[in-house]
Amino acid sequence: MESLMDMVQFKKNIRDPSETESLTAWYNVLSVLFRNTRIELRIGETISESSKNERRENEMAESGTSRNVFGMKIDMLVKADCQDSLQSVELAANEFKRESVSVE
């Protein structure tokens, strides 16, 4: 895997790639890696069902109700289809930011 990543040429002439440019580069790499598998990549501010369920449980524990609960919007969600079920499992939630964005 590491040697594969070393072969990927990101646009080095871009000093501060945008969120979309970074996301697109990784989406292209992961699309190739997961081709012909049960793993699916979802991009474009996809709602995480896992975070929605967790927020619902927290709200129920705190206030006894769970109305109007929304999940987090994720830039790229990695999901896997379960073989015995119609449901899928969220494996990873990826957020992309410009390098110039502070992490603090």
Side-chain angles (χ1 to χ4, degrees):
M1 178 71 125
E2 186 176 336
S3 60
L4 178 63
M5 290 298 157
D6 288 340
M7 292 187 310
V8 175
Q9 293 295 314
F10 292 105
K11 295 180 180 178
K12 298 191 190 248
N13 58 338
I14 299 175
R15 286 199 142 217
D16 189 19
S18 71
E19 179 179 314
T20 303
E21 290 166 329
S22 296
L23 182 144
T24 303
W26 284 107
Y27 177 79
N28 291 335
V29 170
L30 295 173
S31 292
V32 171
L33 287 175
F34 297 130
R35 187 177 10 201
N36 299 324
T37 69
R38 289 194 188 111
I39 296 177
E40 173 188 3
L41 304 174
R42 305 288 302 195
I43 60 173
E45 296 292 319
T46 302
I47 301 289
S48 168
E49 286 299 319
S50 295
S51 68
K52 183 177 180 178
N53 292 338
E54 186 171 329
R55 284 182 178 181
R56 182 180 295 121
E57 289 177 21
N58 287 339
E59 193 168 314
M60 283 296 292
E62 292 294 318
S63 66
T65 183
S66 64
R67 287 179 266 154
N68 299 324
V69 176
F70 298 96
M72 284 179 46
K73 289 186 176 181
I74 305 297
D75 291 333
M76 182 169 59
L77 192 60
V78 182
K79 299 168 74 173
D81 289 331
C82 296
Q83 189 171 5
D84 327 352
S85 169
L86 296 176
Q87 293 183 334
S88 59
V89 176
E90 294 178 359
L91 301 175
N94 302 281
E95 282 292 311
F96 295 86
K97 301 292 178 213
R98 297 184 85 99
E99 285 184 31
S100 61
V101 173
S102 174
V103 292
E104 297 177 11

